């Protein structure tokens, strides 16, 4: 049981896909100007990641080694198109703001990486937990970055005004991709200095 | 002085390794080095030592910045008095007004910069460095006099922490911290950096000689049909005024004359590279000439000597591009580096109407390219020597 819990908890901080493995940074820069888009993107990626891990794990004994990448891509692409259609059906406005980035989940290294590194070797339930853990790890970083950017850039959080415009001047750099770069860099710095002390000493 | 030395000696052990105040050791070391000797003393044998250390270099740069600073103070006061219709303000009145405007910015820059420098020195256990003396002084000079002080504080924090301390402090930075600070404020709070520097507040009587847009601002926003030649003939853009620097703009950058005095001091003392300065000018003049021949927009039609005295080109070339840490290190590399800065300045000025001032972006970009240029130069050198052998 503790082992299963570790599969989920490990990617949240110590082995976080974004801040530790530095994967999926492209979308973390693109969709984090507002918390609402970041949340939708996180949900979409987590759902795709869980499903793709389960499907690929179930197929793992049937997939010939030589064409495994193509098979994985087919599975992931199908799921991404499904996710995109669902978003368009139910949250049309947000899906318009996410534009191509939902479609680009196909190329997100986290999804491909977990399929390659985990789902191909492990049974479906464990793969599901692994997908959940990594999806949540991605979500935590995405929402943290989006919160900081929206708060510092527009003075709002989830559309609610926190810092009133009467005394707070929005920092427009935070609304540009370089602002996200700086924030992710600072998060990585903070994590490697304060949170993952044990991992740092192993290096 | 004796009793200070005695005092220092009597409390020195508290600040050494294992002492009571070990974690603030760098502050003590800095006070010690400031009042007495540098940290590295030679104890054994005969040594030949040059007196030029970081402290001496930094102080020379400060001297070289003085003309720009003093002119900037007068200029800020002068334009304030013009914008606020203080009739016939005297030189002294302009200077005092300028000091009231500029000194708070300098003070905030040193206080905030010093705070970060000391904090990082204490946490990372490295000595406090004299580099702060220069960067703390450069920050205010590249900012407009009307900037709110809190933005100075935020910008300086960004410049010092992200531009310098993250990479290991003085001598480790990959880009110029003062320019990074300016770039941060430029993109974060664009309103304070562009457009009209002095805007008389409502209720003030606006003087006849309203000082508004900088010469580059004028050139980039000429209305249809007006050419650069018209602006020059009409006196909106005046070469001598731009050369001496009686124009609105960032505090230290407006006067090409003051920058030339500073350049002479830096070149005479051998601190800044003449190759970089010459190459910057060559790059700018040749690409401006090319633009004159083929370009159509007012900015492209502006003659090269106007580009030389416009905006922050002189200041950037003399004090920013020559920063020995972030510039190219090889001699051939310095020519390439400087030349491309000049070319990029013209490209940004002409092609990007959103950023009429390209000096900051050009230097920052070439700072990033400098190691690549050096690597090419060194590779080329090795290949040539190998062929000869």
């Amino acid at each position: 049981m503790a082992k299963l819990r570790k599969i989920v908890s490990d990617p949240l901080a110590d082995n976080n896909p974004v801040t530790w493995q530095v994967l999926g940074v492209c979308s973390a820069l693109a969709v984090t100007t507002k918390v609402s888009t970041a949340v939708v993107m996180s949900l979409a990626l987590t759902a795709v990641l869980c499903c793709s891990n389960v499907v690929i794990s179930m197929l793992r004994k049937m997939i010939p080694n030589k064409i495994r990448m193509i098979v994985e891509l087919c599975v992931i692409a199908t799921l991404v198109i499904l996710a995109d259609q669902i978003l368009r059906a139910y949250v049309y406005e947000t899906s318009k703001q996410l534009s191509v980035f939902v479609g680009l989940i196909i190329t997100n290294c986290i999804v491909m990486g977990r399929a390659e590194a985990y789902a191909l070797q492990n049974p479906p339930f464990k793969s599901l937990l692994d997908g959940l853990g990594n999806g949540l790890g991605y979500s935590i970083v995405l929402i943290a970055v989006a919160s900081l950017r929206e708060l510092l850039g527009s003075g709002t959080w989830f559309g609610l005004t926190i810092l009133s415009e009467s005394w707070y001047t929005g920092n427009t750099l935070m609304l540009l991709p370089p602002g996200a770069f700086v924030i992710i860099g600072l998060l990585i710095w903070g994590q490697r200095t304060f949170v993952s002390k044990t991992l740092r000493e192993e290096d | 002085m004796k009793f200070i030395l005695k005092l220092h000696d009597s409390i020195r052990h508290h600040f050494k390794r294992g002492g009571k105040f070990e974690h603030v050791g760098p502050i003590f070391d800095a006070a010690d080095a400031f009042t007495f000797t540098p940290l590295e003393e030679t104890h054994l044998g005969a040594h030949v030592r040059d007196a030029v250390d970081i402290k001496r270099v930094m102080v020379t740069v400060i001297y070289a910045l003085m003309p720009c600073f003093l002119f900037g103070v007068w200029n800020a006061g002068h334009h304030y008095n013009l914008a606020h219709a203080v009739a016939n303000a005297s030189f002294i009145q302009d200077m005092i007004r300028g000091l009231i405007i500029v000194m708070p910015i300098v003070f905030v820059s040193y206080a905030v910069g010093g705070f970060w420098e000391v904090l990082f020195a204490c946490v990372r256990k490295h000595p406090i460095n004299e580099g702060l003396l220069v960067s703390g002084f450069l920050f205010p000079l590249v900012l407009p006099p009307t900037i709110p002080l809190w933005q100075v504080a935020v910008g300086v924090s960004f410049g010092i922490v992200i531009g310098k301390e993250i990479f290991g402090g003085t001598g480790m930075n990959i880009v110029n911290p003062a320019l990074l600070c300016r770039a941060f404020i430029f993109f974060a709070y664009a309103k304070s950096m562009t457009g009209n520097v002095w805007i008389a507040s409502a209720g003030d009587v606006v003087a006849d000689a309203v000082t508004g847009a900088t010469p580059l601002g004028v050139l980039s926003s000429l209305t249809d049909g007006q050419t650069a030649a018209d602006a020059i003939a009409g006196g909106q853009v005046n070469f001598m005024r731009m050369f001496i620097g009686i124009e609105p703009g960032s505090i230290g950058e407006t006067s090409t004359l003051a920058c030339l005095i500073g350049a002479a001091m830096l070149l005479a003392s051998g601190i800044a590279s003449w190759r970089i300065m010459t190459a910057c000018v060559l790059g700018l003049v040749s690409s401006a000439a090319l633009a004159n021949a083929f370009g159509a927009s007012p900015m492209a039609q502006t003659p090269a000597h106007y580009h030389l005295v416009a905006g922050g080109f002189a200041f950037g070339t003399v004090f920013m591009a020559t920063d020995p840490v972030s510039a190219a290190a090889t001699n051939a590399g310095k020519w390439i580096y400087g030349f491309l800065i000049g070319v990029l300045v013209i490209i940004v000025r002409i092609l990007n109407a959103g950023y009429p001032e390209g000096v900051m972006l050009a230097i920052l970009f070439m700072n990033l390219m400098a190691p690549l240029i050096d690597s090419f130069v060194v590779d080329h050198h090795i290949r040539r020597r190998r062929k000869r052998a």
Side-chain angles (χ1 to χ4, degrees), chain A residues 28-35 142 144-156 163 168-187, chain B residues 150 154-155 158 162 183-190:
Chain A
L29 299 180
V31 299
T32 50
T33 47
K34 283 198 294 187
V35 179
L142 219 63
V145 173
S147 302
L148 281 169
R149 282 180 77 183
E150 191 178 339
L151 193 64
L152 295 175
S154 338
T156 57
L163 306 170
Y168 182 78
T169 314
N171 183 331
T172 42
L173 180 70
M174 288 302 147
L175 300 178
L176 302 170
F181 243 128
V182 171
I183 286 181
I184 291 178
L186 291 175
L187 281 180
Chain B
W150 66 270
V154 176
F158 189 86
I162 309 283
F184 176 83
I185 300 178
F186 185 83
F187 287 107
Y189 307 108

Side-chain angles (χ1 to χ4, degrees), chain A residues 49-138:
Chain A
L49 186 52
C50 290
C51 298
S52 85
N53 261 9
V54 171
V55 172
I56 289 165
S57 165
M58 287 194 294
L59 293 172
R60 69 187 188 280
K61 287 177 184 147
M62 283 180 266
I63 302 175
N65 196 31
K66 277 186 184 161
I67 57 159
R68 65 179 199 283
M69 289 285 218
I70 295 289
V71 176
E72 285 160 19
L73 262 185
C74 288
V75 173
I76 296 166
T78 313
L79 290 165
V80 168
I81 290 168
L82 266 178
D84 196 21
Q85 293 300 324
I86 292 170
L87 288 183
R88 276 187 207 187
Y90 293 100
V91 280
Y92 184 63
E93 281 306 311
T94 317
S95 108
K96 260 208 306 201
Q97 285 166 8
L98 287 170
S99 69
V100 295
F101 289 97
V102 173
L104 284 177
I105 294 177
I106 299 171
T107 59
N108 192 311
C109 300
I110 300 173
V111 185
M112 199 70 181
R114 290 332 289 173
E116 277 278 297
Y118 200 89
L120 278 177
Q121 282 96 39
N122 290 285
F125 182 62
K126 274 179 147 181
S127 300
L128 174 71
L129 291 182
D130 179 75
L132 189 68
N134 279 283
L136 290 179
Y138 175 83

Side-chain angles (χ1 to χ4, degrees), chain B residues 127-353:
Chain B
I128 295 172
N129 239 312
E130 289 91 342
L132 181 73
L133 283 179
V134 169
S135 17
F137 201 55
L138 280 172
F139 288 128
L141 293 184
V142 295
L143 298 174
T146 43
I147 190 156
L149 290 179
W150 66 270
Q151 291 182 3
V152 179
V154 176
V156 168
S157 302
F158 189 86
I160 292 273
V161 175
I162 309 283
K164 201 169 83 173
E165 296 299 346
I166 271 188
F167 298 105
T170 303
M172 309 286 189
N173 44 305
I174 54 171
V175 295
N176 188 310
L179 276 185
L180 192 70
C181 157
R182 188 189 148 92
F184 176 83
I185 300 178
F186 185 83
F187 287 107
Y189 307 108
K191 256 192 218 150
S192 342
M193 294 299 272
T194 51
N196 299 339
V197 177
W198 288 115
I199 301 167
S201 53
D204 284 339
V205 187
V206 178
D208 288 340
V210 176
T211 54
T214 58
L216 282 173
V218 171
L219 284 172
S220 70
S221 55
L222 287 178
T223 42
D224 289 331
Q226 255 192 314
T227 62
D230 293 342
I232 291 165
Q236 288 163 283
V237 179
N238 179 301
F239 181 78
M240 272 324 277
R241 239 185 24 227
M242 283 157 81
F243 178 72
I244 295 171
I246 315 173
E247 295 282 357
S250 294
I251 295 170
E253 66 160 27
T254 55
S255 173
T256 310
L257 182 66
C259 293
L260 283 179
I261 299 172
M265 291 165 81
L266 287 181
L267 292 178
S269 57
I271 286 172
S273 157
W274 62 269
R275 289 185 180 86
I276 294 179
M277 290 190 203
T278 319
C280 282
V281 172
L282 281 180
L284 182 111
V285 170
S286 56
S287 52
L290 204 65
N292 285 168
F294 298 107
S297 68
M299 197 67 104
Q301 281 303 323
T302 307
H305 60 288
Y306 279 86
H307 274 299
L308 275 180
V309 294
F313 178 74
F315 191 80
T317 303
V318 174
F319 296 104
M320 301 288 184
T322 54
D323 170 13
V325 179
S326 52
T330 53
N331 281 346
K334 282 175 181 167
W335 284 109
I336 302 171
Y337 165 87
F339 193 83
L340 289 179
I341 287 180
V343 173
L344 278 173
V345 169
I346 291 296
I347 292 179
V348 178
R349 278 186 185 172
I350 292 177
L351 295 183
N352 196 334

